[in-house]
Amino acid sequence: MRINWKKILIITLDSALAIYLMFAFTAFNKPDEKTKLCTKVNINIQDEATNGFIDTHEIKNRLRKGNIYPLKMPLDDVNSRKIEETLKSSPFVKTAECYKTQDGQVCITLTQRMPVVRIKSDRGDDYYLDDNDCIMPNSHYTSDLIIATGHITKWFATNYISPLSKTLMENDLWKNQIEQINVMPDLGIELVPRVGNHIVYIGQLPYCKYKKLKNKIVSDFVNKKMNRLEKFYKYGLSQAGWNKYSYINLEFDNQIICKKVFKEKKDDKSIESALAVSDNIGGIPVKSQEVSKTGNLSPEKGNKPEANKTTSSKKELSGNTANKKVNNKTRI
């Protein structure tokens, strides 16, 4: 058999040419990262408008302090892994992703930790709790969160204030209406609303040593109390007036105890008479107690002794609540 060397030579040259062209096109199309500079840095912070704890300016400053801000750096020197690790070290960053593009851009995408409540305890502690019940440090950014004040330890905050706050934040009505939680020395819970010149007392939160079960028990307890308060708002305060009562006690399931706002007469400075001893608003028994000149609830027959613990006025709130409310939109 005669070998056609001419044909084999042509096939070999065609194959070599094809391989050469393939490598040539690949080499020309591949960017030279050693000489190509980063022309733009894209920083995308998800939920920036909602949380407001970090912004683009802070991200740039953090990277500049570590000398790893990629703008005008050779792409070959841009360490994406180091940028991610540096940003994740921030207590406000949940996830961070960094990658380079062929046109010389570096893209950084961040997600933030979601705060649900700010803690300002009478011990001087000032921090946030996120949606995973973890502590976040104080920040100089503004926030529009519920503030919890009073007798709060970090253990009580992560185990009880956190599920209480999340339950309130999940409801659109209470998310906008409740602006402050106050924990009394006996761990009773007071709520300060935005609308209405009164304080709502819901009693002590139920105890449970199992975390998952505890969250459900606390949530069910709070929802039950707030459902009763919603009915009282709808059928009671909407008719009687939002400033008629200074204190609303929801501790007991069979009744609501209210302290009426009293005005002193100019002639003898006597106290105006209280509301009828027993009313029925929306199917909920409502009792109103007489108030002495000092503002304390006078004892009534049949009242439980525990009701005396609900006699604090707004000026007696623990922590920074001397004027009923902590301004939650001040810079912190």
PDB file of all heavy atoms in Angstrom, residues 297-328:
ATOM      1  N   LEU A 297     -53.079  53.725  92.951  1.00  0.00           N
ATOM      2  CA  LEU A 297     -54.357  53.048  92.897  1.00  0.00           C
ATOM      3  C   LEU A 297     -54.827  52.714  94.301  1.00  0.00           C
ATOM      4  O   LEU A 297     -54.075  52.171  95.101  1.00  0.00           O
ATOM      5  CB  LEU A 297     -54.237  51.758  92.074  1.00  0.00           C
ATOM      6  CG  LEU A 297     -53.869  51.930  90.592  1.00  0.00           C
ATOM      7  CD1 LEU A 297     -53.739  50.566  89.949  1.00  0.00           C
ATOM      8  CD2 LEU A 297     -54.922  52.734  89.876  1.00  0.00           C
ATOM      9  N   SER A 298     -56.074  53.056  94.613  1.00  0.00           N
ATOM     10  CA  SER A 298     -56.604  52.713  95.922  1.00  0.00           C
ATOM     11  C   SER A 298     -57.065  51.273  95.915  1.00  0.00           C
ATOM     12  O   SER A 298     -57.569  50.767  94.916  1.00  0.00           O
ATOM     13  CB  SER A 298     -57.787  53.628  96.249  1.00  0.00           C
ATOM     14  OG  SER A 298     -58.792  53.487  95.270  1.00  0.00           O
ATOM     15  N   PRO A 299     -56.879  50.532  97.032  1.00  0.00           N
ATOM     16  CA  PRO A 299     -57.248  49.122  97.052  1.00  0.00           C
ATOM     17  C   PRO A 299     -58.745  48.944  96.917  1.00  0.00           C
ATOM     18  O   PRO A 299     -59.538  49.740  97.404  1.00  0.00           O
ATOM     19  CB  PRO A 299     -56.746  48.656  98.428  1.00  0.00           C
ATOM     20  CG  PRO A 299     -56.714  49.889  99.258  1.00  0.00           C
ATOM     21  CD  PRO A 299     -56.373  51.010  98.318  1.00  0.00           C
ATOM     22  N   GLU A 300     -59.123  47.879  96.212  1.00  0.00           N
ATOM     23  CA  GLU A 300     -60.519  47.537  96.060  1.00  0.00           C
ATOM     24  C   GLU A 300     -60.739  46.117  96.519  1.00  0.00           C
ATOM     25  O   GLU A 300     -59.859  45.271  96.434  1.00  0.00           O
ATOM     26  CB  GLU A 300     -60.929  47.639  94.575  1.00  0.00           C
ATOM     27  CG  GLU A 300     -61.020  49.038  94.062  1.00  0.00           C
ATOM     28  CD  GLU A 300     -61.547  49.053  92.633  1.00  0.00           C
ATOM     29  OE1 GLU A 300     -61.672  47.970  92.057  1.00  0.00           O
ATOM     30  OE2 GLU A 300     -61.830  50.138  92.119  1.00  0.00           O
ATOM     31  N   LYS A 301     -61.906  45.850  96.972  1.00  0.00           N
ATOM     32  CA  LYS A 301     -62.226  44.504  97.399  1.00  0.00           C
ATOM     33  C   LYS A 301     -62.252  43.593  96.186  1.00  0.00           C
ATOM     34  O   LYS A 301     -62.825  43.906  95.167  1.00  0.00           O
ATOM     35  CB  LYS A 301     -63.590  44.490  98.104  1.00  0.00           C
ATOM     36  CG  LYS A 301     -63.594  45.262  99.417  1.00  0.00           C
ATOM     37  CD  LYS A 301     -64.952  45.167 100.074  1.00  0.00           C
ATOM     38  CE  LYS A 301     -64.964  45.941 101.396  1.00  0.00           C
ATOM     39  NZ  LYS A 301     -66.286  45.865 102.056  1.00  0.00           N
ATOM     40  N   GLY A 302     -61.637  42.443  96.377  1.00  0.00           N
ATOM     41  CA  GLY A 302     -61.644  41.466  95.309  1.00  0.00           C
ATOM     42  C   GLY A 302     -60.474  41.593  94.363  1.00  0.00           C
ATOM     43  O   GLY A 302     -60.243  40.714  93.551  1.00  0.00           O
ATOM     44  N   ASN A 303     -59.714  42.677  94.457  1.00  0.00           N
ATOM     45  CA  ASN A 303     -58.549  42.816  93.596  1.00  0.00           C
ATOM     46  C   ASN A 303     -57.402  41.994  94.138  1.00  0.00           C
ATOM     47  O   ASN A 303     -57.185  41.924  95.345  1.00  0.00           O
ATOM     48  CB  ASN A 303     -58.092  44.290  93.517  1.00  0.00           C
ATOM     49  CG  ASN A 303     -58.993  45.079  92.610  1.00  0.00           C
ATOM     50  OD1 ASN A 303     -59.781  44.510  91.868  1.00  0.00           O
ATOM     51  ND2 ASN A 303     -58.886  46.394  92.681  1.00  0.00           N
ATOM     52  N   LYS A 304     -56.646  41.417  93.246  1.00  0.00           N
ATOM     53  CA  LYS A 304     -55.498  40.644  93.666  1.00  0.00           C
ATOM     54  C   LYS A 304     -54.391  41.581  94.128  1.00  0.00           C
ATOM     55  O   LYS A 304     -54.202  42.654  93.578  1.00  0.00           O
ATOM     56  CB  LYS A 304     -55.005  39.773  92.504  1.00  0.00           C
ATOM     57  CG  LYS A 304     -56.012  38.712  92.090  1.00  0.00           C
ATOM     58  CD  LYS A 304     -55.410  37.833  91.012  1.00  0.00           C
ATOM     59  CE  LYS A 304     -56.404  36.763  90.592  1.00  0.00           C
ATOM     60  NZ  LYS A 304     -55.843  35.877  89.554  1.00  0.00           N
ATOM     61  N   PRO A 305     -53.614  41.147  95.153  1.00  0.00           N
ATOM     62  CA  PRO A 305     -52.525  42.007  95.622  1.00  0.00           C
ATOM     63  C   PRO A 305     -51.527  42.322  94.520  1.00  0.00           C
ATOM     64  O   PRO A 305     -50.901  43.363  94.527  1.00  0.00           O
ATOM     65  CB  PRO A 305     -51.878  41.172  96.735  1.00  0.00           C
ATOM     66  CG  PRO A 305     -52.945  40.226  97.169  1.00  0.00           C
ATOM     67  CD  PRO A 305     -53.759  39.948  95.953  1.00  0.00           C
ATOM     68  N   GLU A 306     -51.386  41.403  93.536  1.00  0.00           N
ATOM     69  CA  GLU A 306     -50.405  41.629  92.498  1.00  0.00           C
ATOM     70  C   GLU A 306     -50.712  42.859  91.666  1.00  0.00           C
ATOM     71  O   GLU A 306     -49.843  43.381  90.981  1.00  0.00           O
ATOM     72  CB  GLU A 306     -50.327  40.410  91.564  1.00  0.00           C
ATOM     73  CG  GLU A 306     -49.719  39.172  92.206  1.00  0.00           C
ATOM     74  CD  GLU A 306     -50.749  38.415  93.026  1.00  0.00           C
ATOM     75  OE1 GLU A 306     -51.895  38.891  93.114  1.00  0.00           O
ATOM     76  OE2 GLU A 306     -50.412  37.366  93.589  1.00  0.00           O
ATOM     77  N   ALA A 307     -51.937  43.304  91.683  1.00  0.00           N
ATOM     78  CA  ALA A 307     -52.300  44.454  90.859  1.00  0.00           C
ATOM     79  C   ALA A 307     -51.569  45.709  91.285  1.00  0.00           C
ATOM     80  O   ALA A 307     -51.441  46.653  90.521  1.00  0.00           O
ATOM     81  CB  ALA A 307     -53.814  44.700  90.920  1.00  0.00           C
ATOM     82  N   ASN A 308     -51.056  45.732  92.553  1.00  0.00           N
ATOM     83  CA  ASN A 308     -50.369  46.925  93.023  1.00  0.00           C
ATOM     84  C   ASN A 308     -49.078  47.189  92.274  1.00  0.00           C
ATOM     85  O   ASN A 308     -48.553  48.276  92.299  1.00  0.00           O
ATOM     86  CB  ASN A 308     -50.063  46.781  94.525  1.00  0.00           C
ATOM     87  CG  ASN A 308     -51.324  46.837  95.366  1.00  0.00           C
ATOM     88  OD1 ASN A 308     -52.293  47.477  94.972  1.00  0.00           O
ATOM     89  ND2 ASN A 308     -51.328  46.151  96.486  1.00  0.00           N
ATOM     90  N   LYS A 309     -48.544  46.153  91.635  1.00  0.00           N
ATOM     91  CA  LYS A 309     -47.287  46.360  90.941  1.00  0.00           C
ATOM     92  C   LYS A 309     -47.478  47.128  89.642  1.00  0.00           C
ATOM     93  O   LYS A 309     -46.520  47.473  88.972  1.00  0.00           O
ATOM     94  CB  LYS A 309     -46.610  45.025  90.654  1.00  0.00           C
ATOM     95  CG  LYS A 309     -47.337  44.168  89.633  1.00  0.00           C
ATOM     96  CD  LYS A 309     -46.651  42.834  89.525  1.00  0.00           C
ATOM     97  CE  LYS A 309     -47.395  41.911  88.584  1.00  0.00           C
ATOM     98  NZ  LYS A 309     -46.775  40.601  88.509  1.00  0.00           N
ATOM     99  N   THR A 310     -48.707  47.385  89.259  1.00  0.00           N
ATOM    100  CA  THR A 310     -48.966  48.106  88.004  1.00  0.00           C
ATOM    101  C   THR A 310     -49.240  49.577  88.246  1.00  0.00           C
ATOM    102  O   THR A 310     -49.850  50.241  87.434  1.00  0.00           O
ATOM    103  CB  THR A 310     -50.171  47.481  87.295  1.00  0.00           C
ATOM    104  OG1 THR A 310     -51.342  47.710  88.081  1.00  0.00           O
ATOM    105  CG2 THR A 310     -49.985  46.005  87.074  1.00  0.00           C
ATOM    106  N   THR A 311     -48.799  50.092  89.380  1.00  0.00           N
ATOM    107  CA  THR A 311     -49.139  51.471  89.721  1.00  0.00           C
ATOM    108  C   THR A 311     -48.084  52.473  89.292  1.00  0.00           C
ATOM    109  O   THR A 311     -48.186  53.644  89.632  1.00  0.00           O
ATOM    110  CB  THR A 311     -49.319  51.596  91.247  1.00  0.00           C
ATOM    111  OG1 THR A 311     -48.091  51.240  91.882  1.00  0.00           O
ATOM    112  CG2 THR A 311     -50.429  50.685  91.729  1.00  0.00           C
ATOM    113  N   SER A 312     -47.050  52.034  88.585  1.00  0.00           N
ATOM    114  CA  SER A 312     -46.017  52.991  88.205  1.00  0.00           C
ATOM    115  C   SER A 312     -46.542  53.931  87.139  1.00  0.00           C
ATOM    116  O   SER A 312     -47.294  53.552  86.272  1.00  0.00           O
ATOM    117  CB  SER A 312     -44.782  52.252  87.678  1.00  0.00           C
ATOM    118  OG  SER A 312     -45.118  51.558  86.511  1.00  0.00           O
ATOM    119  N   SER A 313     -46.134  55.186  87.217  1.00  0.00           N
ATOM    120  CA  SER A 313     -46.506  56.163  86.202  1.00  0.00           C
ATOM    121  C   SER A 313     -45.419  56.222  85.155  1.00  0.00           C
ATOM    122  O   SER A 313     -44.380  55.600  85.281  1.00  0.00           O
ATOM    123  CB  SER A 313     -46.681  57.538  86.848  1.00  0.00           C
ATOM    124  OG  SER A 313     -45.445  57.997  87.339  1.00  0.00           O
ATOM    125  N   LYS A 314     -45.633  57.025  84.106  1.00  0.00           N
ATOM    126  CA  LYS A 314     -44.665  57.077  83.025  1.00  0.00           C
ATOM    127  C   LYS A 314     -43.344  57.663  83.484  1.00  0.00           C
ATOM    128  O   LYS A 314     -42.308  57.366  82.928  1.00  0.00           O
ATOM    129  CB  LYS A 314     -45.235  57.878  81.868  1.00  0.00           C
ATOM    130  CG  LYS A 314     -46.417  57.173  81.252  1.00  0.00           C
ATOM    131  CD  LYS A 314     -46.941  57.905  80.062  1.00  0.00           C
ATOM    132  CE  LYS A 314     -48.111  57.154  79.462  1.00  0.00           C
ATOM    133  NZ  LYS A 314     -48.636  57.826  78.306  1.00  0.00           N
ATOM    134  N   LYS A 315     -43.378  58.473  84.529  1.00  0.00           N
ATOM    135  CA  LYS A 315     -42.136  59.044  85.019  1.00  0.00           C
ATOM    136  C   LYS A 315     -41.333  58.041  85.825  1.00  0.00           C
ATOM    137  O   LYS A 315     -40.221  58.318  86.228  1.00  0.00           O
ATOM    138  CB  LYS A 315     -42.427  60.281  85.868  1.00  0.00           C
ATOM    139  CG  LYS A 315     -43.006  61.442  85.070  1.00  0.00           C
ATOM    140  CD  LYS A 315     -43.174  62.664  85.925  1.00  0.00           C
ATOM    141  CE  LYS A 315     -43.719  63.836  85.117  1.00  0.00           C
ATOM    142  NZ  LYS A 315     -43.896  65.037  85.928  1.00  0.00           N
ATOM    143  N   GLU A 316     -41.896  56.859  86.099  1.00  0.00           N
ATOM    144  CA  GLU A 316     -41.197  55.864  86.895  1.00  0.00           C
ATOM    145  C   GLU A 316     -40.579  54.788  86.025  1.00  0.00           C
ATOM    146  O   GLU A 316     -40.070  53.807  86.523  1.00  0.00           O
ATOM    147  CB  GLU A 316     -42.169  55.220  87.890  1.00  0.00           C
ATOM    148  CG  GLU A 316     -42.687  56.200  88.939  1.00  0.00           C
ATOM    149  CD  GLU A 316     -43.821  55.612  89.755  1.00  0.00           C
ATOM    150  OE1 GLU A 316     -44.432  54.651  89.275  1.00  0.00           O
ATOM    151  OE2 GLU A 316     -44.063  56.101  90.852  1.00  0.00           O
ATOM    152  N   LEU A 317     -40.640  54.907  84.707  1.00  0.00           N
ATOM    153  CA  LEU A 317     -40.039  53.912  83.845  1.00  0.00           C
ATOM    154  C   LEU A 317     -38.545  53.885  84.075  1.00  0.00           C
ATOM    155  O   LEU A 317     -37.906  54.911  84.245  1.00  0.00           O
ATOM    156  CB  LEU A 317     -40.325  54.243  82.376  1.00  0.00           C
ATOM    157  CG  LEU A 317     -41.769  54.062  81.922  1.00  0.00           C
ATOM    158  CD1 LEU A 317     -41.863  54.408  80.460  1.00  0.00           C
ATOM    159  CD2 LEU A 317     -42.250  52.660  82.172  1.00  0.00           C
ATOM    160  N   SER A 318     -38.000  52.671  84.062  1.00  0.00           N
ATOM    161  CA  SER A 318     -36.573  52.521  84.303  1.00  0.00           C
ATOM    162  C   SER A 318     -35.785  53.015  83.109  1.00  0.00           C
ATOM    163  O   SER A 318     -36.281  53.165  82.016  1.00  0.00           O
ATOM    164  CB  SER A 318     -36.243  51.051  84.568  1.00  0.00           C
ATOM    165  OG  SER A 318     -37.000  50.574  85.640  1.00  0.00           O
ATOM    166  N   GLY A 319     -34.474  53.182  83.323  1.00  0.00           N
ATOM    167  CA  GLY A 319     -33.606  53.585  82.227  1.00  0.00           C
ATOM    168  C   GLY A 319     -33.833  55.024  81.850  1.00  0.00           C
ATOM    169  O   GLY A 319     -34.026  55.894  82.684  1.00  0.00           O
ATOM    170  N   ASN A 320     -33.811  55.283  80.536  1.00  0.00           N
ATOM    171  CA  ASN A 320     -33.931  56.643  80.019  1.00  0.00           C
ATOM    172  C   ASN A 320     -35.345  56.935  79.572  1.00  0.00           C
ATOM    173  O   ASN A 320     -35.589  57.376  78.466  1.00  0.00           O
ATOM    174  CB  ASN A 320     -32.966  56.829  78.843  1.00  0.00           C
ATOM    175  CG  ASN A 320     -31.541  56.629  79.267  1.00  0.00           C
ATOM    176  OD1 ASN A 320     -31.164  57.066  80.342  1.00  0.00           O
ATOM    177  ND2 ASN A 320     -30.752  55.961  78.442  1.00  0.00           N
ATOM    178  N   THR A 321     -36.346  56.690  80.428  1.00  0.00           N
ATOM    179  CA  THR A 321     -37.733  56.854  80.031  1.00  0.00           C
ATOM    180  C   THR A 321     -38.455  57.874  80.883  1.00  0.00           C
ATOM    181  O   THR A 321     -39.635  57.742  81.150  1.00  0.00           O
ATOM    182  CB  THR A 321     -38.461  55.505  80.116  1.00  0.00           C
ATOM    183  OG1 THR A 321     -38.354  55.030  81.468  1.00  0.00           O
ATOM    184  CG2 THR A 321     -37.854  54.492  79.185  1.00  0.00           C
ATOM    185  N   ALA A 322     -37.768  58.883  81.336  1.00  0.00           N
ATOM    186  CA  ALA A 322     -38.370  59.844  82.249  1.00  0.00           C
ATOM    187  C   ALA A 322     -39.544  60.583  81.638  1.00  0.00           C
ATOM    188  O   ALA A 322     -40.469  60.965  82.333  1.00  0.00           O
ATOM    189  CB  ALA A 322     -37.317  60.862  82.696  1.00  0.00           C
ATOM    190  N   ASN A 323     -39.527  60.779  80.333  1.00  0.00           N
ATOM    191  CA  ASN A 323     -40.606  61.500  79.663  1.00  0.00           C
ATOM    192  C   ASN A 323     -41.467  60.578  78.825  1.00  0.00           C
ATOM    193  O   ASN A 323     -41.881  60.915  77.732  1.00  0.00           O
ATOM    194  CB  ASN A 323     -40.024  62.612  78.785  1.00  0.00           C
ATOM    195  CG  ASN A 323     -39.372  63.679  79.615  1.00  0.00           C
ATOM    196  OD1 ASN A 323     -39.890  64.031  80.657  1.00  0.00           O
ATOM    197  ND2 ASN A 323     -38.231  64.154  79.158  1.00  0.00           N
ATOM    198  N   LYS A 324     -41.691  59.408  79.315  1.00  0.00           N
ATOM    199  CA  LYS A 324     -42.531  58.370  78.700  1.00  0.00           C
ATOM    200  C   LYS A 324     -41.820  57.642  77.594  1.00  0.00           C
ATOM    201  O   LYS A 324     -41.797  56.435  77.572  1.00  0.00           O
ATOM    202  CB  LYS A 324     -43.837  58.952  78.140  1.00  0.00           C
ATOM    203  CG  LYS A 324     -44.651  57.918  77.352  1.00  0.00           C
ATOM    204  CD  LYS A 324     -45.696  58.572  76.503  1.00  0.00           C
ATOM    205  CE  LYS A 324     -46.341  57.557  75.571  1.00  0.00           C
ATOM    206  NZ  LYS A 324     -47.233  58.165  74.618  1.00  0.00           N
ATOM    207  N   LYS A 325     -41.178  58.353  76.666  1.00  0.00           N
ATOM    208  CA  LYS A 325     -40.651  57.691  75.495  1.00  0.00           C
ATOM    209  C   LYS A 325     -39.182  58.047  75.290  1.00  0.00           C
ATOM    210  O   LYS A 325     -38.774  59.156  75.537  1.00  0.00           O
ATOM    211  CB  LYS A 325     -41.444  58.067  74.241  1.00  0.00           C
ATOM    212  CG  LYS A 325     -42.942  57.741  74.346  1.00  0.00           C
ATOM    213  CD  LYS A 325     -43.670  58.235  73.120  1.00  0.00           C
ATOM    214  CE  LYS A 325     -45.150  57.944  73.225  1.00  0.00           C
ATOM    215  NZ  LYS A 325     -45.907  58.439  72.065  1.00  0.00           N
ATOM    216  N   VAL A 326     -38.427  57.063  74.807  1.00  0.00           N
ATOM    217  CA  VAL A 326     -37.074  57.354  74.360  1.00  0.00           C
ATOM    218  C   VAL A 326     -37.153  57.728  72.892  1.00  0.00           C
ATOM    219  O   VAL A 326     -37.807  57.048  72.112  1.00  0.00           O
ATOM    220  CB  VAL A 326     -36.175  56.108  74.528  1.00  0.00           C
ATOM    221  CG1 VAL A 326     -34.843  56.339  73.845  1.00  0.00           C
ATOM    222  CG2 VAL A 326     -35.965  55.805  75.996  1.00  0.00           C
ATOM    223  N   ASN A 327     -36.516  58.808  72.528  1.00  0.00           N
ATOM    224  CA  ASN A 327     -36.542  59.220  71.120  1.00  0.00           C
ATOM    225  C   ASN A 327     -35.731  58.231  70.316  1.00  0.00           C
ATOM    226  O   ASN A 327     -34.521  58.259  70.321  1.00  0.00           O
ATOM    227  CB  ASN A 327     -35.958  60.625  70.978  1.00  0.00           C
ATOM    228  CG  ASN A 327     -36.116  61.143  69.569  1.00  0.00           C
ATOM    229  OD1 ASN A 327     -36.549  60.419  68.687  1.00  0.00           O
ATOM    230  ND2 ASN A 327     -35.774  62.393  69.373  1.00  0.00           N
ATOM    231  N   ASN A 328     -36.414  57.370  69.596  1.00  0.00           N
ATOM    232  CA  ASN A 328     -35.757  56.281  68.888  1.00  0.00           C
ATOM    233  C   ASN A 328     -35.124  56.706  67.584  1.00  0.00           C
ATOM    234  O   ASN A 328     -34.487  55.922  66.906  1.00  0.00           O
ATOM    235  CB  ASN A 328     -36.762  55.163  68.627  1.00  0.00           C
ATOM    236  CG  ASN A 328     -36.091  53.858  68.362  1.00  0.00           C
ATOM    237  OD1 ASN A 328     -34.917  53.709  68.671  1.00  0.00           O
ATOM    238  ND2 ASN A 328     -36.811  52.909  67.788  1.00  0.00           N
TER     239      ASN A 328
END
